[in-house]
Amino acid sequence: MENVHLAVEEDDLYSGYNDYNPTFDSEELENDVGFQQAVRTSHGRRPPMTAKFPGTAIGGRPLVSSFGSRIPMASSMGRPMTGAVQDGSARPMTAVRAAGYSSSLMRGSTFDPLGQSKGPAPPLEAKNEDTAEEKIKILEKRVNDLIEESCMAQSIGALQLALEKAKEAGRKERALIRQRETSGQTEHINLDLTYSGEVIKQGSNMTTVAASISTQLHWQYEQRKAVLLNLANQYANNEMYPEALNSYHVLVKNKMFTNAGRLKVNMANIYFKQKNYPKAIKFYRMALDQISNAHKELRIKILQNIGVVFVRLGQYSDAITSFEHIMAESPNIKTGFNLILCYYAIGDRERMKKAFQKLISVPLGIDDEDKYIPASDEPSANMVIEAIKNDKLHQMERDLKILAEKYIMTAAKLIAPAIETSFASGFDWCVEMVKCSQYVELANDLEINKAITYLRQKDFNQAVETLKTFEKKDSRVKSAAATNLSFLYFLEKDYDQADRYADLAMNADRYNPAALINKGNTVFVKKDYEKAAEFYKEALRNDSSCTEALYNLGLSYERLNRLEEALDCFLKLHSILRNGAEVMYQLAHLYEQLGDPQQAIEWLMQVISATPTDPHVLAKLGKLHDDEGDKSQAFQYYSESFRYFPSNIDVIEWLGAYYIETQFCEKAIQYFERATLIQPNCVKWQLIVASCYRRSGNYQKALDTYKEIHRKFPENVECLRFLVRLSTDMGLKEVQEYATKLKKVEKMKELREQRVKSGRENSARSRREGSTGSAGESIVSTSVLTSPKKSDVTENAKAEPQPERKQFSPLLDSDSGRSSSSSSKGERLSAKMRSLPGSNEPYEASSPKELDASYVDPLGPQTDRPKTGAKKPADDDDFADEDLGDDLLPE
């Protein structure tokens, strides 16, 4: 026991910790006389302490004083501590009460040092939530949760939900303030604020700064500002700009805000969106004044915004000042491109060149692509390279490089015609500058854009010459140039050259989908649809998003009459191009071919929603409704089509026939007169106009129209027959003249028929004899073109002037179809015809042969007139015994 150090004798608080104390060796407890005596006597049954002394912890252990010494403590019975010296022997320090050791063990009781036999511990006391402190804590947590939910909703694009959460957070925060006021804890609110960071969000042209509130000091007031800032941001995101500005004003008015100037950038952005450009510049400059020079990147972005606003105001000189300062301090691609635009706007050629040189020299900070190429065969290194090849950082680098190339290409195409006397020399200068920069691969793309510019200027020869210079370049550029050349020759319908360059493009790059499409197009025009479909399929295998290949594949299947497969192609294409009018029209056409007109109408209605002024689609809808028997809908769509494109003959013909069928011949006249303007050499429309005048009762106008037709077409038999009939009905003196002309025309037709017949006999005889004669062939060819057969003449005389009426029945009849038994006009006309010249003497006196003056009304049979009264007895007719003249008979 000599190694035991008593508390009263310790000089060093930390001494003896590394010494081995045999007192704690449980194996020697049986030989320890003091321990065995304590077990057998009352030392093991001492009652617990009931008093605590200063410096004593719970359980009676002595505490360390501020002076580093332990305070000895006596038991409640006045006994010395077990660690004190007793009978000259030192005992180890133990607890006031023994750890479960009692004399009851000797009497056979259960050993339970942890007191588990007493049952489970009593339940924990429930937290009292009725206290003011607990209510405040609950409200604070709820406000924080609402702010977090609002931010999360904004991150997924649910802007309306984010605004609702922000408003609810504001309401909860006001309830929290009232709770603090009622509980008397308003002294915790302090106006000292600390902003701990900024979140910079860069849009297309603007920079948004949002301050996040620090929670290090004065939590309650920080929470209030966080609620207000989040609410202002959500108002701005939902384009509720007045409310957002009010919230920002409340934040920036407090003079205690050391970083409140950052929020003025948000206010300036709102004024920019409201197109209040002077106020936007004011707030940008205020923010620039309040932000220290230590935040260089933020100041550069604000200067860039100021330059953009000056561009919107048309103050290019001020914008140039801002952009030049940025390019001198921290150059970037976007600012360099904006600077070129400003120089282009003021027309400064030299400064445009300098700005372009600055643009292509802007460092991107992107590592070389060679680091992503495996340098060894070590599997671990290759796995690392594969892992970083498509990670977020590499994607960001690729996007930045693509953006830079886009700006450089756009700037070159913009300034090329302006920096030199011709755009070709300007392009050459840009190409030379690019070749000397880090964007060497863009030089070839600029050359191809030069050829495309030639195309836009309709200079196809120069475009072809420019593209032909790439035939000896590397495979990628060669394939692109050959693809363009193939397309050019295809547009010029030089399919052999188009096929040649398509093959060249495919040989240079077999995985070029554009080259495969051009090759398929050249095969398609040769009507080899199966082979064309194979090329389109290969293009789709190389690029599954190639919409041109999918569209052409659908057309190929349609030509092959594989309508279901074509329908699948266009349905897939429609899922990619939701608003593609061409795709929807093809779907409607396929459904029409499949015999589903209702589906065709539905797809055409979608086409109309995308292109509401397409006259051909409107006419197609009218045709489908007409086929379904819905004349009113058909009339509506045909009328809309005529309104947008009044030169469609089919639409004009349908509308005119519709008005004739509905007995409105006067309205039909305007449509057929327009048809005569479109096709002035087609006699059919003029004959229909004259017939409409006659049916509407305007005989004089009809006669004048027939005379005009006869003047233009003196050999038209139908016109002469109408003139003979009208002149006879109206009792005019020109009857003999028109009858003579009619006889002459019929005689000429007979001569042509004889010539045709003899020519055909001669050609048949020559074919039988095996002889051919060039002169005879030309005569036959001419006669066939100029003299139809007699049966054809008769049919044409009856049917040629009639319009194509889209399922309308014939409207007017011929003379033979009228009541010939009761027509005194016919007898009188026959009597007059007997005095006309005969057919064998075309220019002399009369012949007993009667003239065929019958004709066919081009509008069809006339409908019966409505009966307005009951039929009178025959003996009551005052004119029963008189022969009425033709001029008194109704039509």
Side-chain angles (χ1 to χ4, degrees), residues 715-756:
E715 296 183 357
N716 187 271
V717 176
E718 282 296 310
C719 179
L720 287 172
R721 287 178 178 173
F722 280 121
L723 284 172
V724 170
R725 176 57 193 269
L726 280 177
S727 300
T728 304
D729 292 345
M730 298 174 67
L732 300 178
K733 298 179 180 180
E734 293 91 346
V735 175
Q736 186 69 26
E737 177 185 355
Y738 294 132
T740 304
K741 291 180 178 180
L742 180 60
K743 195 66 175 178
K744 291 179 181 179
V745 171
E746 289 183 345
K747 184 64 176 178
M748 291 175 63
K749 282 189 176 182
E750 290 179 1
L751 294 175
R752 290 195 187 101
E753 289 172 7
Q754 293 176 2
R755 190 179 304 168
V756 170

Side-chain angles (χ1 to χ4, degrees), residues 492-563:
E492 293 179 347
K493 297 184 179 181
D494 189 351
Y495 301 125
D496 294 334
Q497 287 291 333
D499 186 65
R500 172 176 171 269
Y501 280 100
D503 290 333
L504 185 62
M506 289 169 56
N507 294 332
D509 185 5
R510 184 69 185 187
Y511 298 99
N512 185 356
L516 291 167
I517 292 172
N518 286 344
K519 179 64 176 179
N521 291 344
T522 57
V523 178
F524 186 92
V525 295
K526 297 176 182 177
K527 298 184 179 181
D528 191 353
Y529 304 121
E530 286 285 356
K531 193 173 182 180
E534 292 300 323
F535 282 112
Y536 298 142
K537 288 178 183 178
E538 186 176 354
L540 284 172
R541 285 193 293 270
N542 294 336
D543 184 6
S544 60
S545 63
C546 186
T547 55
E548 295 86 356
L550 192 57
Y551 187 91
N552 293 348
L553 181 61
L555 292 180
S556 300
Y557 284 145
E558 183 184 356
R559 296 295 192 279
L560 293 169
N561 203 25
R562 294 155 63 176
L563 302 181

Side-chain angles (χ1 to χ4, degrees), residues 409 412-414 416-417 423-424 427 445-460 462-463 466-467:
M409 292 288 293
K413 290 188 287 186
L414 178 68
F423 91 93
F427 256 110
D445 295 336
L446 280 174
E447 290 281 0
I448 292 178
N449 274 280
K450 177 182 176 182
I452 294 174
T453 308
Y454 277 126
L455 287 179
R456 289 173 179 165
Q457 295 180 354
K458 308 298 183 183
D459 194 348
F460 293 100
Q462 286 292 335
T466 304
L467 291 172

Side-chain angles (χ1 to χ4, degrees), residues 652-698:
I652 291 172
E653 185 177 1
W654 192 94
L655 288 171
Y658 175 81
Y659 279 117
I660 290 174
E661 185 186 29
T662 55
Q663 303 299 316
F664 291 100
C665 297
E666 297 85 354
K667 292 185 178 180
I669 291 174
Q670 59 177 335
Y671 294 103
F672 291 119
E673 284 181 345
R674 182 174 292 274
T676 61
L677 295 176
I678 298 171
Q679 296 179 351
N681 295 325
C682 183
V683 68
K684 176 175 71 173
W685 310 118
Q686 301 182 41
L687 289 173
I688 294 175
V689 170
S691 183
C692 287
Y693 279 125
R694 188 181 61 80
R695 288 221 38 190
S696 60
N698 193 346

Side-chain angles (χ1 to χ4, degrees), residues 736 740 744 835-838 840-847:
Q736 186 69 26
T740 304
K744 291 179 181 179
S835 60
L836 294 177
N840 53 356
E841 298 177 0
Y843 308 109
E844 301 294 336
S846 62
S847 172

